[in-house]
Amino acid sequence: AQSVTQLGSHVSVSEGALVLLRCNYSSSVPPYLFWYVQYPNQGLQLLLKYTTGATLVKGINGFEAEFKKSETSFHLTKPSAHMSDAAEYFCAVSDRYTGRRALTFGSGTRLQVQP
Amino acid sequence: DVKVTQSSRYLVKRTGEKVFLECVQDMDHENMFWYRQDPGLGLRLIYFSYDVKMKEKGDIPEGYSVSREKKERFSLILESASTNQTSMYLCASSFSDRAGYGYTFGSGTRLTVV
């Protein structure tokens, strides 16, 4: 079964600093990879996804993520944090070939942005 | 825009009550999902459905059941609510043949069982 590990349940950065949220998956076959964001009292919103092709994926709100097969990683970055980026971020995977249609989520990383 | 609507944002129920959480989507998605979200545990899959009247157990189905009588509606049922079912419940939907497109989520129902 797939599993997803997000290192760091809480990350705090200063406004304008680099944001780096880590995600590693366990699978010998690269899955589909997703990052979702959840603002307080809301559902999850898709930030970006990797399915095939270019390994550097750009998403909404200036976020991007790079798929590295050799490291089984899909880390999320943003060059300059904004106060509005404070939220919880979830990495998720789905099987590419087995037909299981459900996403498996990591435990989430709460991002704090300090003024 | 695809909409996934969960009927209640907040619910408070008593231990032992039968609880229904309703979810409706308006984009003709084949797949629908119920997750619960708990701090430090992320989202865990309870049940999902890939067609009307079809359902599959997820990772934590114990204490729950589901119903899908119409394509657009997927209900989560807590047969006899217990305090350890206090949680945020999230519904989602997706196309059947587009696993790479991800989900559309509802806003969630925060259930408190007292």
Side-chain angles (χ1 to χ4, degrees):
Chain A
Q2 288 275 10
S3 69
V4 181
T5 302
Q6 291 185 240
L7 281 178
S9 58
H10 289 82
V11 170
S12 183
V13 301
S14 299
E15 193 172 18
L18 171 73
V19 176
L20 170 62
L21 305 182
R22 300 178 186 274
C23 173
N24 288 87
Y25 64 90
S26 68
S27 174
S28 56
V29 176
Y32 294 123
L33 295 153
F34 305 84
W35 275 99
Y36 284 84
V37 61
Q38 185 180 36
Y39 299 104
N41 298 315
Q42 294 187 24
L44 277 69
Q45 177 184 0
L46 182 65
L47 266 181
L48 49 79
K49 62 179 186 279
Y50 171 76
T51 55
T52 188
T55 56
L56 182 62
V57 179
K58 294 188 186 300
I60 62 172
N61 302 338
F63 284 92
E64 59 184 36
E66 186 171 12
F67 166 60
K68 292 188 177 180
K69 183 178 177 181
S70 61
E71 298 178 7
T72 60
S73 69
F74 191 55
H75 301 331
L76 182 71
T77 60
K78 183 174 181 177
S80 177
H82 193 272
M83 296 296 290
S84 61
D85 294 327
E88 190 154 22
Y89 293 79
F90 292 93
C91 183
V93 302
S94 70
D95 285 336
R96 193 177 285 269
Y97 301 117
T98 63
R100 177 179 161 108
R101 299 177 177 89
L103 292 181
T104 299
F105 286 84
S107 55
T109 298
R110 187 167 296 279
L111 176 66
Q112 283 185 310
V113 182
Q114 308 288 349
Chain B
D1 272 359
V2 177
K3 268 195 176 172
V4 177
T5 303
Q6 294 184 232
S7 54
S8 304
R9 288 301 311 275
Y10 300 94
L11 273 180
V12 180
K13 297 293 182 179
R14 295 194 179 277
T15 301
E17 274 193 76
K18 190 169 186 175
V19 180
F20 293 85
L21 304 184
E22 305 288 345
C23 175
V24 177
Q25 52 95 3
D26 66 358
M27 270 299 284
D28 206 34
H29 283 173
E30 295 90 354
N31 301 333
M32 296 187 75
F33 308 85
W34 277 106
Y35 287 83
R36 64 176 281 175
Q37 180 182 6
D38 300 288
L41 297 177
L43 279 71
R44 293 178 291 165
L45 181 65
I46 304 171
Y47 267 97
F48 68 101
S49 167
Y50 50 88
D51 202 351
V52 175
K53 297 190 186 295
M54 304 300 287
K55 60 186 179 185
E56 285 194 29
K57 292 180 180 179
D59 301 316
I60 52 164
E62 295 78 18
Y64 303 94
S65 62
V66 291
S67 172
R68 194 166 181 200
E69 297 295 320
K70 294 186 177 181
K71 190 174 185 179
E72 67 271 17
R73 185 180 297 269
F74 192 37
S75 302
L76 179 69
I77 304 157
L78 286 65
E79 298 289 345
S80 177
S82 64
T83 54
N84 64 12
Q85 293 178 309
T86 291
S87 186
M88 169 70 92
Y89 290 87
L90 291 164
C91 175
S93 70
S94 71
F95 284 111
S96 183
D97 60 349
R98 304 181 195 178
Y101 277 71
Y103 293 172
T104 299
F105 278 90
S107 298
T109 296
R110 186 167 295 280
L111 173 67
T112 302
V113 182
V114 298

